[in-house]
Amino acid sequence: MSDKDRYESAYENQWCPGCGNFGILGAMKDALAQLNIPPEKLLIVSGIGQAAKTPHFLKCNFLHGIHGRALSIALGAKLANHDLNILVNSGDGDCYGEGGNHFIHAARRNTDMTLLVHNNQIYGLTKGQASPTSAWGMTTAMQPGGVISEPLNGPALALTMGAGFVARGFSGNKEHLSGLIQAAVQYKGFSVIDIFQPCVTFNRVNTAQWYKDRIYELDETKDRDDFGTAMTLARETGDRIPVGILYTKEKKEFISQIKGLEKGPLIDRHYDPDRLEKVVQEYI
């Protein structure tokens, strides 16, 4: 058995042939194997959508939330068990649309977890409506006259809200993406990677070739702790689009500041049903 085989699951994968999600799944397996994270120490949380099916295809602990709520569930899990390595898989609609409020507050809290946003610039599960990241003017079956809202820039928003690790990746370059995921998981705090992921069925504009014609890799030997440079890179989304670590800077982690958790995680506490019942009765 190879290291990557440790993460194989028995679920049947029904993503479309050629879906960009396969590249993300492969990069995740490679990164987890490189980091030697045991499946029993791994929790993957997701919401709703094709991206949210990712944990089905990995041997790990996993949990689905409702649309857009994966980050809040992941926060609760981290509060309860600090030893878990937590990854969140979310689509651009799930994360930036339904879950936009949770995304903003996860960035400013800096809880130790990694968010992978599968950004295909469309709602794939529900057959091709425009998502928050669809380009202005893009036509779909639901927007035949073209999108009339400006696209949301996830990395720029994360930077604005104080995220300490912000990166952009491409599912078509598995090796490069694996390196980004490894760096994100090793970051002590909230790390987010916005990953371009072509939808071969419902987005005929932003194809794999469309990305390949525009993407260029950043020099990872350079320090990436300058906020102004990071914002400039995050907003570079025209004919040339940078992928790599846009920004990384040490910040105080959220849970380490909670007084009630100084004695350790909730999972290590003694469960006293009589005491719990007493507290409940006080509020009835």
Side-chain angles (χ1 to χ4, degrees), residues 45-92:
V45 186
S46 63
I48 301 296
Q50 294 293 356
K53 296 178 181 176
T54 304
H56 294 190
F57 314 127
L58 287 158
K59 186 178 181 181
C60 61
N61 304 292
F62 74 85
L63 195 152
H64 278 295
I66 56 177
H67 222 338
R69 306 305 192 265
L71 284 168
S72 55
I73 294 169
L75 170 60
K78 194 67 178 182
L79 289 170
N81 189 344
H82 305 173
D83 291 333
L84 285 173
N85 295 279
I86 300 181
L87 278 76
V88 176
N89 285 83
S90 187
D92 46 305

Side-chain angles (χ1 to χ4, degrees), residues 37-275:
I37 297 175
E40 66 271 18
K41 291 289 186 181
L42 175 63
L43 172 65
I44 300 184
V45 186
S46 63
I48 301 296
Q50 294 293 356
K53 296 178 181 176
T54 304
H56 294 190
F57 314 127
L58 287 158
K59 186 178 181 181
C60 61
N61 304 292
F62 74 85
L63 195 152
H64 278 295
I66 56 177
H67 222 338
R69 306 305 192 265
L71 284 168
S72 55
I73 294 169
L75 170 60
K78 194 67 178 182
L79 289 170
N81 189 344
H82 305 173
D83 291 333
L84 285 173
N85 295 279
I86 300 181
L87 278 76
V88 176
N89 285 83
S90 187
D92 46 305
D94 184 55
C95 185
Y96 301 141
E98 286 83 357
N101 187 48
H102 296 283
F103 176 70
I104 288 171
H105 295 289
R108 54 183 280 269
R109 286 195 184 105
N110 199 38
T111 306
D112 188 20
M113 64 175 78
T114 294
L115 168 64
L116 306 179
V117 184
H118 301 221
N119 184 358
N120 58 15
Q121 301 177 257
I122 204 79
Y123 277 99
L125 184 69
T126 46
K127 301 185 177 179
Q129 302 98 322
S131 81
T133 59
S134 297
W136 187 93
M138 179 179 180
T139 58
T140 74
M142 291 294 290
Q143 288 85 18
V147 174
I148 55 173
S149 301
E150 290 295 329
L152 188 148
N153 187 321
L157 178 57
L159 287 165
T160 301
M161 297 314 304
F165 184 104
V166 181
R168 179 177 276 143
F170 175 46
S171 66
N173 188 338
K174 190 171 69 174
E175 183 177 356
H176 184 258
L177 181 58
S178 172
L180 292 181
I181 295 173
Q182 290 175 57
V185 171
Q186 291 175 310
Y187 177 77
K188 190 65 176 175
F190 181 71
S191 52
V192 54
I193 308 176
D194 183 271
I195 306 169
F196 289 131
Q197 170 252 314
C199 175
V200 294
T201 302
F202 296 110
N203 188 339
R204 304 301 175 86
V205 176
N206 307 110
T207 63
Q209 191 60 53
W210 187 93
Y211 290 116
K212 290 177 181 176
D213 288 342
R214 290 162 174 79
I215 281 173
Y216 72 95
E217 294 180 10
L218 293 170
D219 181 357
E220 300 298 353
T221 63
K222 291 186 176 180
D223 292 335
R224 292 292 175 196
D225 60 354
D226 183 81
F227 183 83
T229 301
M231 281 299 289
T232 299
L233 291 170
R235 297 179 68 181
E236 191 176 346
T237 55
D239 292 335
R240 282 172 55 78
I241 305 174
V243 294
I245 299 173
L246 306 178
Y247 184 74
T248 181
K249 192 168 188 174
E250 288 187 17
K251 294 186 63 181
K252 190 170 287 188
E253 200 269 330
F254 182 65
I255 288 177
S256 66
Q257 303 174 72
I258 299 176
K259 296 286 186 186
L261 292 174
E262 287 180 344
K263 295 179 180 178
L266 301 178
I267 196 172
D268 292 338
R269 308 287 178 85
H270 172 66
Y271 173 61
D272 185 342
D274 293 334
R275 185 181 178 190

